[in-house]
Amino acid sequence: MNTRDVQVRMCEIAVSTREDARILRATLGSCVGIGLLWRARGACGLAHCLLPQPVGKARSTQAERQGQDAKYVVDALPALISLMGAQGAPEGEIEAVLAGGANMMHHRTTIHEPIGELNVRMAQQLLTHARVRVIHTDVGGECGRQLTIDCGQQNYAVRRFSRPG
């Protein structure tokens, strides 16, 4: 990797522009990666979300509410849009790519649905509510993925990989 490559780790958000030409990457299992491309302005961003929303007594931290953390999908999407300066973007101009949300455990619990499915569902609901057009979805199943957003070229790629053994 070179200095243009940015590894977006769990609970992180990264943004870039066509001029910065950074390549944003997230390696995902049950986490969901939300990539946004605003081609008209040459801006893009990537959020690597661990959970759909705070549960029970858990609350978003000050850092999460100020857009510096992507632990929860409900906090990450608005923060990503804000960091890209896209709050007033015309409807349909921002495009989204979703990846991840896999079921990385072989067993299902009776307590709740697999967390990957919950993450994807929350991301899809929020994107619909924000009127962001989803142009590509590669989610679910039992394989991991790497979501790459090339800000210089204003494109994306999703690579699948299987769990060893």
Side-chain angles (χ1 to χ4, degrees), residues 77 91 121-134:
L77 183 60
E91 186 175 335
R121 188 176 311 129
M122 179 62 73
Q124 290 170 326
Q125 289 172 359
L126 291 171
L127 288 164
T128 297
H129 184 263
R131 298 186 172 160
V132 173
R133 187 168 46 108
V134 178

Side-chain angles (χ1 to χ4, degrees), residues 69-133:
D69 193 10
K71 183 175 185 178
Y72 303 112
V73 175
V74 296
D75 294 328
L77 183 60
L80 186 55
I81 290 170
S82 177
L83 288 168
M84 289 174 61
Q87 302 91 320
E91 186 175 335
E93 244 185 46
I94 298 175
E95 300 169 328
V97 177
L98 287 179
N103 180 9
M104 300 306 286
M105 306 300 237
H106 284 293
H107 65 279
R108 292 184 70 95
T109 66
T110 57
I111 299 170
H112 58 75
E113 295 176 70
I115 199 67
E117 291 176 25
L118 296 172
N119 283 336
V120 170
R121 188 176 311 129
M122 179 62 73
Q124 290 170 326
Q125 289 172 359
L126 291 171
L127 288 164
T128 297
H129 184 263
R131 298 186 172 160
V132 173
R133 187 168 46 108

Side-chain angles (χ1 to χ4, degrees), residues 14-18 20-24 42-45 84 151-152 154:
V15 296
S16 185
T17 63
R18 187 178 293 123
D20 294 339
R22 289 194 177 94
I23 297 172
L24 311 177
C44 61
M84 289 174 61
C151 300
Q154 293 287 293

Side-chain angles (χ1 to χ4, degrees), residues 3 15 17 38 43 51-53 65 79 85 119 121 150 154 157 159 162:
T3 57
V15 296
T17 63
W38 190 11
L51 298 168
Q53 62 189 348
R65 287 190 300 274
N119 283 336
R121 188 176 311 129
D150 184 332
Q154 293 287 293
R159 181 175 65 90
S162 57

